Amino acid sequence: KNTIYITATIVATVVGAGFATGQEIYSFFNVYGKGSLLGIVIMLFGFVFAFYTVLRYCFVRRIDSFSAFLTELLPRKFGKMIYVCVALFSFCGLCAMASATGALFLQSFKLPYFAGVFALLIICFLILIFNISGIARLNLYLTPLICLGLVYFSVRGFLFREVATFSAHYYRNILEICLSAILYVSYNILSVVVVLCSMRQYADNLRNIRLSCAGAGLILTILALMIWSVIELYADKIILGEIPLLQISARSGTVHEIIYGIILLASVLTTAVGCGYATVQFIKQSLHCQTLVAALIAVLSVVPVCYFGFSGIVRVLYTFFGFLGMPFLLILIFSQLKLMRTCKNKLKNMKNE
C-alpha cells in the first residue's frame, strides 16, 4: 500500500494542467518532431534517477522535510537560495493550475473565468489544512482516474483519427532535443522534491522506494508517449490552441469534451495541491505561522496572478525555472555520490572492527 501511495503522489504531482492538456508535451517535445522521442527516453531516466535519489537519501538519513534535505547537502546560504527558487516555482505552479481551471470553466462549461479560479483555490485550501496525509489520500483516489482518462482519450484520438499520418516535421538538432528534455525534468523536480521529502513515513524500505520510483517513471513515460503520438498526428493540421488535447477530444463531440474537462480538472487539482503544499511550507517557515494562516495567504496571493495566460506560463516561466532547476539535478548527483561514500566508509569501519 505504501508503494501505491508514493507512486500515486509522484504521478499526480507531475501530471498537472500542463501535462494533461498536452501543452507541456507539445512545447517541450512535439515542436521538435519525430526526433523528440529521444527526449522522452531521456525524460524516463531523468525522472527515475531524481525520484530515487531524493527518496533514498531521505530514507537513509531519516529526513522528513525539504529544508532538512537542503541543510544536509549544501551550505546554508546556497541552500536558502535553492529553497526560495523552489518556493517561487511552486507558487507559479499553483497560479498556473488556477489559471488553467478558469480557462477550462470558460471554454468547456461556459462559466465565468474566476468561478473556476476560486473553486480550485477553495478546494486546495481545504485539503492543505490536513497536511501531507490529505494530499496522499487525494492522490490515491484521483490518480487512477486521471491515468485511465488520459489513456482513453489518447488511444481514441489515435484510433479514430481524421488524419492518416504523423506530421512530416523532423527537427535534426539533437542537442536542443536533449536540452529540452532535461529542462522538462528539471522544472518538474522543483515541485516534486518538496512532496518527496515529506513521504519518508511511507518509504519504509529500499525495495519499496525502487518499485515506487520505477513505477512512477514508467507510468509517466507511457502517458507522455500516448499524448505525444496523438498530438503528433494533428500537429500542423489543426489549430491546437492553449489546450491541445481538449481541442482534439472536442472533435468527437460535446460529451467527450465535457468528460475530458472533468479528467483535466482532477489532474489540475492534484498538481495544485502539490504546489500549494510546497508554498505553504515556505510561508510557515518564513512567517512562523500556523498551517491554516499559511494556506490562506497562499491561496489569496494567487488571485492577482491569474490575469496572465496559461500557455504563456507553461512556455516562458516553466522554461525559466527549468534552467534554474538544472543546478538542482547536479545537487542530486552530488547527494547520490555522498551517500555512496558514506555507505562505503561504514562498510570499511565494520570490516576493521
Side-chain angles (χ1 to χ4, degrees):
K1 189 175 180 180
N2 285 346
T3 302
I4 297 171
Y5 264 129
I6 297 171
T7 304
T9 300
I10 293 172
V11 172
T13 306
V14 174
V15 180
F19 191 102
T21 58
Q23 185 60 245
E24 282 181 359
I25 301 300
Y26 177 75
S27 297
F28 285 89
F29 299 100
N30 284 100
V31 290
Y32 299 107
K34 298 180 183 68
S36 59
L37 280 171
L38 172 63
I40 291 178
V41 173
I42 293 170
M43 180 198 79
L44 167 62
F45 288 105
F47 272 151
V48 172
F49 167 77
F51 300 154
Y52 178 71
T53 300
V54 174
L55 277 174
R56 182 170 180 255
Y57 198 88
C58 290
F59 173 74
V60 173
R61 296 284 192 170
R62 299 186 180 279
I63 293 168
D64 55 10
S65 72
F66 182 54
S67 56
F69 178 75
L70 291 177
T71 303
E72 277 269 338
L73 287 173
L74 301 168
R76 187 178 174 185
K77 286 186 178 178
F78 191 52
K80 199 167 184 179
M81 284 172 55
I82 294 287
Y83 191 58
V84 169
C85 285
V86 170
L88 283 173
F89 174 74
S90 298
F91 177 71
C92 289
L94 181 58
C95 294
M97 299 306 107
S99 177
T101 307
L104 186 64
F105 267 52
L106 188 64
Q107 186 172 334
S108 291
F109 307 132
K110 310 301 182 231
L111 294 171
Y113 172 81
F114 275 100
V117 171
F118 285 117
L120 180 80
L121 293 178
I122 290 168
I123 296 169
C124 278
F125 173 77
L126 294 173
I127 295 168
L128 287 171
I129 59 177
F130 290 104
N131 222 318
I132 194 70
S133 59
I135 296 172
R137 282 197 297 271
L138 174 78
N139 291 333
L140 186 64
Y141 297 134
L142 290 186
T143 302
L145 171 69
I146 295 165
C147 292
L148 288 172
L150 288 176
V151 168
Y152 170 76
F153 281 103
S154 297
V155 171
R156 194 184 191 288
F158 191 83
L159 293 179
F160 298 97
R161 57 189 182 272
E162 302 164 65
V163 289
T165 59
F166 286 119
S167 168
H169 177 53
Y170 187 89
Y171 197 83
R172 296 183 182 277
N173 194 326
I174 293 177
L175 284 177
E176 285 195 30
I177 291 170
C178 293
L179 177 61
S180 184
I182 292 168
L183 287 174
Y184 181 69
V185 172
S186 298
Y187 86 74
N188 271 293
I189 292 305
L190 287 177
S191 59
V192 174
V193 69
V194 182
V195 178
L196 283 177
C197 290
S198 305
M199 296 295 291
R200 191 177 71 84
Q201 58 182 298
Y202 300 108
D204 44 17
N205 58 69
L206 286 175
R207 182 177 177 274
N208 179 345
I209 291 171
R210 289 191 196 101
L211 287 173
S212 300
C213 297
L218 193 61
I219 290 169
L220 289 169
T221 303
I222 291 169
L223 290 176
L225 280 170
M226 287 183 165
I227 294 170
W228 179 91
S229 298
V230 73
I231 291 177
E232 192 64 19
L233 277 170
Y234 286 91
D236 303 327
K237 298 182 179 73
I238 66 169
I239 298 171
L240 294 173
E242 288 205 336
I243 308 178
L245 283 183
L246 183 63
Q247 284 294 112
I248 294 167
S249 63
R251 299 173 79 85
S252 300
T254 307
V255 174
H256 279 88
E257 183 181 4
I258 291 172
I259 294 171
Y260 175 74
I262 294 168
I263 299 296
L264 182 56
L265 281 176
S267 63
V268 166
L269 178 60
T270 55
T271 297
V273 168
C275 291
Y277 177 78
T279 307
V280 166
Q281 295 306 304
F282 177 75
I283 294 171
K284 278 174 67 177
Q285 291 200 5
S286 301
L287 302 181
H288 305 289
C289 58
Q290 298 295 318
T291 301
L292 183 68
V293 177
L296 191 61
I297 293 170
V299 296
L300 290 177
S301 302
V302 168
V303 178
V305 186
C306 287
Y307 285 98
F308 297 95
F310 169 64
S311 60
I313 291 173
V314 171
R315 281 195 299 269
V316 180
L317 276 181
Y318 280 21
T319 302
F320 171 72
F321 279 105
F323 279 107
L324 286 181
M326 288 176 77
F328 191 72
L329 282 179
L330 295 176
I331 292 167
L332 293 183
I333 295 171
F334 168 72
S335 72
Q336 187 73 354
L337 293 173
K338 185 178 178 182
L339 199 59
M340 287 169 65
R341 189 175 63 188
T342 303
C343 293
K344 189 177 178 181
N345 289 338
K346 282 183 179 179
L347 287 171
K348 194 175 180 181
N349 292 334
M350 287 171 66
K351 284 179 182 178
N352 290 335
E353 290 173 3

